[in-house]
Amino acid sequence: MNALSPNEFRSSIDLEKRKFHMKSYFESSFYRQYRSANMALSALGRSPRVLSLGAGGAFVEEIVQKHLDASVFVVDFAETLAIESDLYGKFAGMFAGDISAPDWVSPLDGVDAVFWFDNIEHLRIDPTKILRKLRSALSENGQIFITTDNFARLRNILKLIFNRSIVALPKDLFAEVDFEHEYVHRREYTRPELEACLREAGLKLVEVEMLWQSPSESLKKLPFRSFEYLFPRFRPHMLIRAQKAVQDARSTTG
């Protein structure tokens, strides 16, 4: 499918079905959501089965449902599913669960896509363990889409120069991964780290974009934006697409 323009993307999202904070979050993360949606639309075929982990505002999920006739299934905490029941209820299914729990397994197999947006940084677990489970849940040509903060971003480097912390306070950092503390970033990643996790899980990185949250910056942040424009690897966020490694695909086909 052809990529959506920013206006087409915005008009495809029903903000009235979302809580107020989700509306503001959509605006503050618009560019990241927009680029994620276009990557998914370009990479997926018609009527895909999509498993979304920690769907949040489910902006990209709504786009692929509308434009690709996707069947979307959401995994999240039971409390989140209850709060967002009006939003998630329009999808094909909901599953309560903690993906970081040792006994968690994907509720579906043969899925064409896994969306793991803005979630991996909230977990206190080696993401390789979850990626292995997700790889097993993929169809032969299934893909995983991940967005997360770039730990090596310029803004973190500058914080360190001025002796400012770039991780959460201990009381939050070491808190349980649950509904109450789901907002906390336990661990952020660099691109090579995530590429290594994917490789160990039997997946390969096939596409990556280094992103900003929004199309523009305030005047006081323009110097950051200018430097990040010249050196994309220092941008604040990553959008990653991965699929089964070649050897894994060959083993499934005989």
Side-chain angles (χ1 to χ4, degrees):
M1 175 177 174
N2 293 332
L4 299 178
S5 69
N7 286 337
E8 289 171 332
F9 171 68
R10 185 181 294 277
S11 65
S12 292
I13 298 295
D14 183 1
L15 289 177
E16 297 306 314
K17 287 189 177 181
R18 291 167 170 84
K19 309 299 179 187
F20 174 76
H21 75 280
M22 284 300 179
K23 295 180 185 179
S24 61
Y25 181 71
F26 176 71
E27 295 301 332
S28 66
S29 64
F30 178 84
Y31 189 68
R32 182 157 47 92
Q33 307 291 344
Y34 168 65
R35 295 303 305 164
S36 300
N38 271 342
M39 182 180 284
L41 292 178
S42 298
L44 297 175
R46 293 292 302 175
S47 304
R49 296 175 76 231
V50 176
L51 182 65
S52 176
L53 308 181
F59 306 112
V60 181
E61 290 81 351
E62 182 172 344
I63 290 290
V64 299
Q65 183 189 55
K66 286 182 176 180
H67 292 271
L68 297 180
D69 191 29
S71 297
V72 178
F73 301 85
V74 173
V75 175
D76 215 319
F77 293 120
E79 297 93 332
T80 303
L81 297 182
I83 291 171
E84 298 291 356
S85 58
D86 289 344
L87 174 60
Y88 299 162
K90 64 184 179 180
F91 296 137
M94 298 183 288
F95 302 96
D98 175 2
I99 64 173
S100 65
D103 60 349
W104 182 83
V105 294
S106 172
L108 300 172
D109 55 18
V111 297
D112 301 299
V114 172
F115 289 171
W116 199 3
F117 294 141
D118 308 335
N119 182 274
I120 190 172
E121 65 273 12
H122 298 279
L123 304 180
R124 295 190 310 179
I125 183 176
D126 178 0
T128 308
K129 295 180 180 180
I130 298 175
L131 288 168
R132 288 193 183 107
K133 296 177 182 180
L134 296 177
R135 174 191 161 281
S136 298
L138 291 175
S139 64
E140 181 178 339
N141 297 311
Q143 303 175 77
I144 295 179
F145 299 79
I146 299 171
T147 59
T148 190
D149 288 341
N150 171 24
F151 196 48
R153 56 189 177 271
L154 173 64
R155 300 165 202 219
N156 272 356
I157 295 170
L158 292 175
K159 282 182 179 180
L160 286 175
I161 289 174
F162 290 99
N163 202 29
R164 293 176 57 191
S165 177
I166 57 176
V167 296
L169 294 173
K171 69 182 181 66
D172 291 326
L173 187 66
F174 298 107
E176 292 297 318
V177 177
D178 55 22
F179 175 70
E180 277 189 55
H181 302 95
E182 64 178 352
Y183 63 92
V184 180
H185 286 202
R186 271 71 175 202
R187 175 69 154 86
E188 295 178 356
Y189 298 89
T190 65
R191 173 181 169 176
E193 287 176 328
L194 284 184
E195 193 165 1
C197 291
L198 291 167
R199 186 167 56 250
E200 290 177 24
L203 298 158
K204 67 173 181 177
L205 180 67
V206 294
E207 189 173 4
V208 61
E209 288 190 35
M210 307 304 290
L211 301 171
W212 295 286
Q213 284 269 39
S214 60
S216 60
E217 295 274 15
S218 62
L219 285 176
K220 67 179 182 179
K221 291 185 178 180
L222 275 179
F224 300 150
R225 189 65 166 248
S226 300
F227 184 88
E228 293 159 355
Y229 181 82
L230 294 173
F231 303 98
R233 69 188 182 93
F234 292 107
R235 292 177 187 172
H237 303 282
M238 295 181 282
L239 167 60
I240 286 170
R241 180 168 66 93
Q243 62 188 33
K244 288 183 178 180
V246 172
Q247 61 267 29
D248 297 313
R250 285 174 179 169
S251 66
T252 59
T253 56

